[in-house]
Amino acid sequence: MDRPDENIARAVLDRYGTTFSADAGIALRDEPVPLFQLLVLAQLLSARIGSGIAVATAGELTAAGWTTPQRMRDASRPRVVAALGRAGYRRYDERTATQLRDMAALVLDRYGGDLRGLAGAAEADVGRAAGLVQEVKGIGPTGAAVFLREVQAVWPWVRPYLDERAREGARRLGLPDDAHQLADLVSPDDLARFAAALVRVSRLPAGQAPLGDGPRCGELTSP
């Protein structure tokens, strides 16, 4: 017989269980291009801006062809600024254009353009991985949490990664506040989606029942 918490977890997955990378059109795999695209998304989501704008901006950068560190580093700064502006990322376009190109240079110089090198440098230590991600200028704890929540889909050693924002959503649902207890409610392959779903729940307006009528996955704000 199902436990009540498992039923809640399943309902939350059904309603909110789309990762932010999937929203951005990133087919996440343990390969250089999608991992770099995820790092770009984490950078964009680090600013105080709605997730919808950040996700749209990630799509705009992909459409421009800047899907590898080499291409991003070599992109002209005015073109990057223009792409950010087209997607509505205007408050932070100048600063972020610089940070994105600096980030690409760091990934090239330190990891040979392949973020699997970051995984190797972390040596299966999630805290160290978070620190390495934050060595990218413009990415702090929030951006590192975005990256790790999502990358656990393809880096099993990161699991279970359910940070304070995700656990806030769990508390709102009456679910356990412990990452391992939460992870037991879903299959390992669903954990990244579950983490994203809990984050989305945490950002719902006060007073809105998470499993009542309300916005769906793509309609919520900051992760």
Side-chain angles (χ1 to χ4, degrees):
M1 182 179 296
D2 286 342
R3 293 179 295 169
D5 286 354
E6 289 176 339
N7 293 334
I8 293 172
R10 187 158 46 245
V12 169
L13 270 175
D14 288 344
R15 186 174 182 88
Y16 301 109
T18 301
T19 61
F20 291 93
S21 52
D23 271 350
I26 301 169
L28 193 57
R29 299 180 299 276
D30 189 20
E31 298 175 3
V33 168
L35 289 173
F36 179 69
Q37 289 178 294
L38 176 58
L39 190 65
V40 169
L41 180 62
Q43 172 79 268
L44 296 171
L45 286 167
S46 294
R48 293 182 178 276
I49 199 163
S51 66
I53 294 174
V55 164
T57 302
E60 189 71 33
L61 297 175
T62 296
W66 301 322
T67 57
T68 68
Q70 185 77 50
R71 291 174 182 172
M72 182 67 79
R73 186 190 64 180
D74 293 346
S76 73
R77 190 171 180 281
R79 288 189 63 206
V80 177
V81 171
L84 294 170
R86 284 194 301 273
Y89 207 91
R90 294 186 182 88
R91 288 177 58 195
Y92 305 98
D93 52 358
E94 297 281 347
R95 183 184 71 188
T96 302
T98 298
Q99 290 174 339
L100 287 169
R101 295 166 77 239
D102 288 348
M103 177 181 72
L106 182 148
V107 174
L108 284 167
D109 295 343
R110 186 170 300 177
Y111 305 116
D114 186 346
L115 282 167
R116 290 176 295 187
L118 185 151
E123 298 181 329
D125 183 323
V126 176
R128 172 143 178 78
L132 291 171
V133 173
Q134 289 179 72
E135 288 180 5
V136 175
K137 187 179 295 186
I139 295 184
T142 295
V146 170
F147 184 85
L148 292 168
R149 282 198 308 258
E150 303 268 320
V151 85
Q152 68 183 319
V154 295
W155 288 355
W157 59 271
V158 174
R159 302 172 189 163
Y161 192 85
L162 293 144
D163 63 313
E164 174 57 28
R165 181 67 60 85
R167 296 198 307 274
E168 179 184 337
R171 290 192 293 270
R172 184 161 177 177
L173 291 157
L175 293 175
D177 188 74
D178 177 80
H180 291 277
Q181 288 180 293
L182 288 170
D184 285 343
L185 300 178
V186 299
S187 73
D189 289 342
D190 282 334
L191 195 51
R193 293 201 307 119
F194 189 43
L198 293 174
V199 169
R200 294 179 188 279
V201 167
S202 78
R203 306 311 297 163
L204 290 172
Q208 179 175 318
L211 297 177
D213 292 334
R216 300 284 174 166
C217 285
E219 302 171 24
L220 304 174
T221 54
S222 175

